[in-house]
Amino acid sequence: MSQSEILFERAQKTTPGGVNSPVRAFKSVGGTPRFIERAHGAYVVDADGREYIDYIGSWGPMILGHGDPDVVAAIRDQAETGVSFGAPTELEIEMAELLCQRVPSMEQVRMCSSGTEATMSAIRLARGYTGRDGIIKFEGCYHGHGDSLLVKAGSGALTFGVPSSPGVPAEFVRHTHTADYNDLASVEALFQAQPDAIACVIVEPIAGNMNMVLPAPGFLQGLMDLCERHGALLILDEVMTGFRVHPGGAQGLYGLRPHLTTLGKILGGGLPVGAFGGRRDIMQKLAPVGPVYQAGTLSGNPLAMAAGLASLRKLDDPALYARLDDYTERLITGLRGAARAAGVPFSAQHLGSMFGLYFAETIPTDFKAVTACDLTAFNRFFHAMLEAGVSLAPSAYEAGFVSAVHGDAELRATLAAASAAFHKLA
Ligand code: PMP
């Protein structure tokens, strides 16, 4: 038995499914999850001492790679100074100033401890601000596991085929309306069916929880226009895309100015963090200045702020994004070529260092097309890659991520592994 198998058995005795977040359990791809002991640069190392080129990057945060010396130094220095005070610090001001500068639609920002908290809080704020209860989300988009957002969700909720979870009262989700991604008419219809009842639309600007689906030209601005016309707020959920696709997030890339934005992942440099922010008059409705309550014992945690600031400062470098884009472009081109050579129906795309792999002839542009991809082929490809030392997300419904320290050696090894894996599939 491998160490991972031994640890997985042991973990399941005291933790449901042996994991603290469902997608980690390999349920959709089958087999035993690798228990990770350490990580360095572009690699994770499992409990059996096997090294894997990492394309999960802790599901997004590790854009600088593992063990970035500046981030590690910032965490170490802060640990010696104090890890949590439950009182305001200058670090939090620095973080807020930096966020408002990089993401100009955020005139004010509030820190929290996860992406889930960020989206839950943004929804509450949108409801409090507008005095309306209805929300519109998109099928296949995942915004964390808050009650009103766990409806037709992506990521693990999709992997497990649970469109909404037991334990979420029907009365809560009565207010959650689901539209089709890249289909403005489906949103318009919901607005029209419920005049003056919709508080907000929440959307992943680039959907990364149903594999990867890009917004059609005009889709995001169209949502903004619909919200403006109907007195609702647009919440751009940039938990995944923030600082990933552009230093100013997807909104920087596409030139959008949403009413509210949610952030997480990269923002904490690998430590638990989330944030939400937006127009000043909306943010002023939050306690203690306004009536909408939101709080957190560890919100703005000094360790998370230190790690996040060190990361974000390093990310203020166009050359770094150009390098990430270049690697990912060569990765995607190489994967397409390897699949073609093996005669496997496959397509792939990337936006900066975020990518999608599809076992289908054409790139999906909506949720339905994603679910029509060949799941069995993905699962076999996933395991062949893992055996060859390449770690992809263990689900066909997740985007992949490249880090700034993935280089030529990792690219060559990945493409060699992929070529063999595609041939096995053919
Ligand atoms: N929003 C999006 C777009 C996400 O991708 C995720 C997590 N994958 C979340 C929200 C929830 O974040 P967290 O897991 O930190 O609660």
Side-chain angles (χ1 to χ4, degrees), residues 19-337:
V19 293
N20 282 306
S21 194
V23 276
R24 295 180 195 167
F26 275 29
K27 200 168 165 191
S28 73
V29 290
T32 304
R34 304 301 188 260
F35 278 65
I36 302 303
E37 208 164 75
R38 61 201 146 85
H40 59 92
Y43 296 87
V44 290
V45 185
D46 74 10
D48 294 283
R50 287 200 61 195
E51 243 180 29
Y52 303 86
I53 302 171
D54 181 19
Y55 290 103
I56 302 177
S58 187
W59 303 90
M62 309 313 293
I63 191 167
L64 294 172
H66 297 282
D68 177 88
D70 295 322
V71 177
V72 172
I75 295 172
R76 189 177 289 135
D77 289 352
Q78 187 56 48
E80 283 171 3
T81 313
V83 295
S84 189
F85 311 122
T89 61
E90 188 173 356
L91 271 175
E92 293 160 86
I93 308 177
E94 284 175 35
M95 175 60 91
E97 288 172 350
L98 194 146
L99 291 180
C100 293
Q101 180 224 328
R102 297 262 174 101
V103 186
S105 72
M106 303 205 312
E107 295 168 356
Q108 291 209 312
V109 62
R110 167 72 52 88
M111 305 303 302
C112 53
S113 299
S114 70
T116 295
E117 271 186 72
T119 56
M120 262 168 42
S121 307
I123 296 277
R124 183 179 304 142
L125 178 57
R127 285 172 161 160
Y129 178 82
T130 58
R132 301 170 174 185
D133 289 334
I135 66 175
I136 295 176
K137 77 174 287 292
F138 295 90
E139 187 167 21
C141 280
Y142 178 69
H143 305 288
H145 61 92
D147 280 341
S148 41
L149 291 165
L150 214 52
V151 180
K152 296 198 174 178
S155 190
L158 181 58
T159 306
F160 300 125
V162 184
S164 53
S165 168
V168 179
E171 285 80 4
F172 288 20
V173 297
R174 193 160 57 83
H175 300 294
T176 304
H177 309 283
T178 316
D180 296 324
Y181 199 80
N182 276 338
D183 181 358
L184 282 175
S186 71
V187 183
E188 172 103 65
L190 287 173
F191 269 118
Q192 241 132 48
Q194 279 116 156
D196 305 324
I198 303 296
C200 61
V201 173
I202 184 166
V203 67
E204 288 181 66
I206 297 155
N209 286 292
M210 47 167 157
N211 202 325
M212 175 174 161
V213 175
L214 288 178
F219 174 60
L220 297 171
Q221 186 58 50
L223 290 181
M224 187 69 196
D225 296 344
L226 278 174
C227 284
E228 290 274 326
R229 195 166 342 128
H230 292 279
L233 304 182
L234 180 67
I235 303 175
L236 214 58
D237 181 359
E238 297 231 43
V239 167
M240 188 183 283
T241 53
F243 314 105
R244 171 56 67 181
V245 296
H246 183 276
Q251 57 193 278
L253 187 70
Y254 294 126
L256 295 164
R257 204 178 166 88
H259 303 100
L260 290 172
T261 297
T262 51
L263 293 167
K265 297 194 190 265
I266 290 177
L267 176 59
L271 272 76
V273 86
F276 63 104
R279 226 171 60 193
R280 183 181 312 272
D281 63 312
I282 303 171
M283 293 302 286
Q284 287 287 313
K285 294 285 182 225
L286 276 180
V289 277
V292 178
Y293 196 72
Q294 188 277 337
T297 299
L298 293 176
S299 293
N301 174 259
L303 275 184
M305 295 302 97
L309 281 168
S311 301
L312 295 186
R313 286 182 180 132
K314 266 192 118 145
L315 288 169
D316 189 18
D317 174 10
L320 185 144
Y321 282 93
R323 221 169 50 240
L324 281 164
D325 187 61
D326 175 65
Y327 182 100
T328 319
E329 173 65 26
R330 288 189 291 148
L331 173 70
I332 293 310
T333 308
L335 289 174
R336 282 200 206 111

